[in-house]
Amino acid sequence: MTQANIQNLHQSDELNEAQAAEVFERARAAARDLRKTTVAERVGELKKVLHRFYEMREEIMDRVCEENGKCRTDALVADIMGPLDFMEWLISDAEKILADEKAPTPLALMGKKSKIYHEPLGACLLITPWNYPVNNSMIFTMTGFIAGNAIVFKPSEHTPLKGLLEKIFDASPLIKNSVQVVYGSGTTAQHLIDQRPAKIFFTGSNRTGHKIMEQASKYLIPLELELGGKDPAIVFDDVDLKRTVAGVLWGAMTNTGQSCTSIEKLYIQYGIYEDFIAQLKAECEALVVNNADRGDADVGAMTARFQTDIVQRHLDDAVDKGAKVLCGGDLIDGKDGKFFLPTVLTDIPDDAALNHEETFGPLLPVYRFNTEDEVIDKANDTEFGLSASVWSKDLERADRVARALEVGAVSINNVMLTEGNPHLPFGGRKSSGFGRVHGPEGLLGWTASKAIIVDKQSDKLEANWYPFTIKKYTLLQKLISAAVIHNPILKILRIALAGLPLESHAQKPRD
Ligand code: NAD
């Protein structure tokens, strides 16, 4: 396919089967080219892209704010700072993480050398949602590329940012050739999955996660699923009120609450409940709700009508069943989108939908608790398990709670902070998905490990090769018995006593 054709194809809305096949043909050719490059060479290319990304930051923010509706500081922090930090980490750590590893060789395999190679997977498929359109796309594509993969990337149809990524990747011909951006909806994504990518990296809703897993299972395509969350914040009564209110409010409303790890449930210990919610109400009402701003708005617009509808449904349902609106609760039409006023709810009835379903909007339900055990049980009583925050001066208690929570990440006395550290893995448990992105584990997720063992080319025969004899069988039994001895000196002695005659017997020809 010519570049012009690809350009045209990318500008159309959906890909058909044949076009999807062509995209993967190109991706597989790119993957073959990439196999000839070293990690150091790829890091060199990433540096060019990082520089271009930094130079283009204002243009990137303009596009993100326009298509997503978020306020400018949200775009700066998540979609600019996040990828820059992450790319810096890849540049400094990738070579070390992807280097060949020496592995120990047990005594019974004496004389051999063991190694692990971390090899690229090939042509992979990346599918992302609309909430952090640049953060997700830059971090994932660059991680996959550094690991040596070609990537077919399908962004969300709600925030495609057409042409933007291509302009960033233009800084490196190798990266431009290795990452193809393909536009379209779920239909396009399904055609791409039918091309049997080496692995699928999906971030998005549970509903779509199920569909992708079902389709991928037909071909046994491995996949990583980063799905939704229902993240709790647990606030004990010994906290600094001002700082914790500020942190919790940000954690609930950042990106207009449209973050997989934003706080969806706030648990406050009885002793400070009244003071806490009074301050929370005051701070929440002070938030500046606007977008198309210059960095002076706190909370932007909702991105999509369907998401606004979910927030409205959760609010109406909870209020109908008896919840009280502490502040917010209104949907207002703005010049550049729909604005859901940051909303705090109290007195939540047990049967409210928002207790269990992901809301993904600026709606914060507050609950009270008495004891540590009680709040752990409540926080774990959800099908989701993405992340959580625990707030307390007592760090031992906070650590106990962090360990007891069935989630992939916990920030203590902070919120949504683990994903801000590229060294840490990120990913969920339970219905929040599986696999890890970020950190060494995330980078290695884009590789296949290959085990290598090297023996000498000599005339020596192995004891487990033919011929099998009664004597060999008896000596092998002795060797096995020696292997389960836990006293190290006795173990070596018994292995030698069985192993040396076994070695010598193995060299004898068949009688
Ligand atoms: P979504 O599942 O509707 O869409 C995500 C992507 O999947 C889009 O690119 C879409 O086109 C594609 N898609 C749709 N149908 C498909 C199909 N049948 N096969 C393959 N791909 C298909 O999600 P969304 O509304 O864009 O995003 C919001 C969701 O994403 C929330 O649930 C949120 O919690 C989750 N999310 C999770 C993380 C995380 O890291 N765990 C991060 C951000 C968002």
Side-chain angles (χ1 to χ4, degrees):
M1 202 164 29
T2 66
Q3 282 297 330
N5 283 343
I6 292 159
Q7 194 63 30
N8 290 340
L9 177 152
H10 289 179
Q11 275 159 7
S12 73
D13 283 325
E14 298 290 356
L15 239 65
N16 61 30
E17 249 179 278
Q19 288 169 319
E22 284 182 67
V23 165
F24 264 90
E25 206 178 297
R26 272 176 58 80
R28 292 200 172 96
R32 280 193 294 277
D33 290 346
L34 271 177
R35 290 298 295 258
K36 296 173 202 141
T37 62
T38 63
V39 182
E41 283 163 352
R42 299 197 290 272
V43 165
E45 298 301 304
L46 175 59
K47 284 180 183 164
K48 296 179 197 165
V49 160
L50 181 141
H51 183 70
R52 170 72 62 88
F53 183 85
Y54 176 73
E55 294 287 305
M56 284 176 60
R57 64 194 180 284
E58 294 299 330
E59 179 183 344
I60 294 169
M61 279 190 285
D62 287 345
R63 291 288 305 277
V64 169
C65 291
E66 195 183 307
E67 288 194 23
N68 176 282
K70 63 178 81 182
C71 65
R72 201 158 183 90
T73 308
D74 275 346
L76 179 66
V77 174
D79 290 293
I80 301 294
M81 221 163 95
L84 280 174
D85 276 353
F86 199 87
M87 287 189 276
E88 287 291 357
W89 172 75
L90 282 174
I91 287 166
S92 68
D93 282 31
E95 270 188 272
K96 198 171 57 208
I97 296 164
L98 296 171
D100 297 347
E101 279 179 55
K102 273 194 194 143
T105 306
L107 211 55
L109 301 179
M110 213 162 61
K112 284 113 176 122
K113 287 198 177 94
S114 308
K115 297 184 278 185
I116 304 167
Y117 298 159
H118 300 291
E119 299 190 338
L121 296 164
C124 297
L125 174 61
L126 169 66
I127 304 170
T128 61
W130 43 263
N131 59 336
Y132 293 116
V134 169
N135 180 298
N136 278 326
S137 53
M138 287 305 294
I139 288 179
F140 284 115
T141 56
M142 290 305 96
T143 310
F145 166 77
I146 284 295
N149 300 286
I151 296 149
V152 175
F153 168 44
K154 197 210 78 64
S156 167
E157 61 275 35
H158 303 292
T159 51
L161 301 171
K162 273 193 182 170
L164 185 72
L165 233 58
E166 293 89 326
K167 192 169 167 186
I168 299 167
F169 295 156
D170 227 21
S172 154
L174 184 65
I175 292 183
K176 190 180 172 189
N177 188 50
S178 307
V179 186
Q180 291 180 79
V181 190
V182 173
Y183 301 101
S185 70
T187 311
T188 290
Q190 285 172 318
H191 289 319
L192 293 169
I193 295 170
D194 280 335
Q195 298 311 311
R196 304 182 184 208
K199 188 168 179 179
I200 301 169
F201 293 81
F202 173 73
T203 303
S205 66
N206 280 58
R207 192 179 16 85
T208 310
H210 276 106
K211 286 187 201 163
I212 291 180
M213 197 158 166
E214 200 181 325
Q215 194 184 350
S217 74
K218 275 202 293 188
Y219 311 111
L220 291 180
I221 303 169
L223 71 165
E224 306 232 358
L225 299 180
E226 298 295 331
L227 308 176
K230 193 80 204 160
D231 285 12
I234 298 173
V235 179
F236 286 96
D237 60 8
D238 60 348
V239 295
D240 177 281
L241 228 55
K242 188 171 171 221
R243 180 177 189 276
T244 310
V245 165
V248 161
L249 187 61
W250 178 81
M253 305 304 169
T254 184
N255 216 40
T256 321
Q258 301 172 126
S259 170
C260 52
T261 53
S262 61
I263 299 172
E264 293 245 338
K265 282 180 143 188
L266 171 59
Y267 294 99
I268 304 172
Q269 204 165 19
Y270 263 96
I272 56 164
Y273 181 83
E274 296 300 340
D275 289 346
F276 197 98
I277 61 165
Q279 284 200 31
L280 185 63
K281 174 175 164 38
E283 292 300 322
C284 188
E285 283 174 345
L287 290 175
V288 177
V289 180
N290 197 5
N291 68 352
D293 62 312
R294 292 166 51 204
D296 50 355
D298 296 312
V299 180
M302 295 293 294
T303 305
R305 178 79 226 180
F306 58 82
Q307 199 57 48
T308 314
D309 291 344
I310 295 172
V311 182
Q312 187 73 60
R313 177 169 63 78
H314 281 185
L315 173 67
D316 293 345
D317 167 74
V319 170
D320 286 351
K321 290 171 178 161
K324 296 198 176 86
V325 178
L326 187 71
C327 58
D330 293 314
L331 180 67
I332 46 179
D333 275 316
K335 184 166 69 67
D336 292 298
K338 293 268 184 201
F339 294 88
F340 219 110
L341 290 188
T343 301
V344 180
L345 291 179
T346 63
D347 303 277
I348 317 294
D350 287 345
D351 57 347
L354 58 66
N355 284 330
H356 298 291
E357 293 174 21
E358 182 185 42
T359 304
F360 215 64
L363 186 55
L364 180 62
V366 188
Y367 310 79
R368 296 169 221 238
F369 74 93
N370 263 317
T371 66
E372 189 180 316
D373 285 345
E374 175 200 346
V375 80
I376 290 169
D377 285 348
K378 283 183 168 168
N380 281 337
D381 182 21
T382 164
E383 63 163 306
F384 295 103
L386 196 51
S387 75
S389 62
V390 181
W391 306 74
S392 175
K393 280 200 180 97
D394 180 347
L395 291 183
E396 277 182 29
R397 168 167 65 184
D399 185 64
R400 265 197 316 272
V401 176
R403 286 174 192 274
L405 293 173
E406 296 159 356
V407 294
V410 180
S411 298
I412 294 177
N413 292 318
N414 215 306
V415 61
M416 296 174 72
L417 203 57
T418 55
E419 58 255 51
N421 178 354
H423 295 268
L424 292 176
F426 177 76
R429 286 169 63 176
K430 302 200 286 193
S431 291
S432 289
F434 47 78
R436 293 292 179 264
V437 293
H438 297 190
E441 222 178 314
L443 180 53
L444 291 173
W446 288 86
T447 65
S449 63
K450 186 177 273 175
I452 301 286
I453 197 151
V454 184
D455 201 354
K456 290 185 202 71
Q457 184 50 252
S458 68
D459 58 359
K460 212 177 109 213
L461 304 181
E462 293 289 339
N464 62 309
W465 293 354
Y466 304 125
F468 291 162
T469 65
I470 295 295
K471 184 167 183 191
K472 199 182 258 189
Y473 184 80
T474 313
L475 287 167
L476 278 168
Q477 286 277 30
K478 281 191 181 165
L479 194 66
I480 289 167
S481 303
V484 296
I485 293 172
H486 290 133
N487 178 322
I489 296 171
L490 192 60
K491 183 177 189 141
I492 292 178
L493 202 67
R494 296 282 282 276
I495 287 182
L497 281 174
L500 293 174
L502 183 62
E503 279 269 330
S504 110
H505 179 69
Q507 309 315 311
K508 294 197 172 129
R510 199 185 282 273
D511 291 334

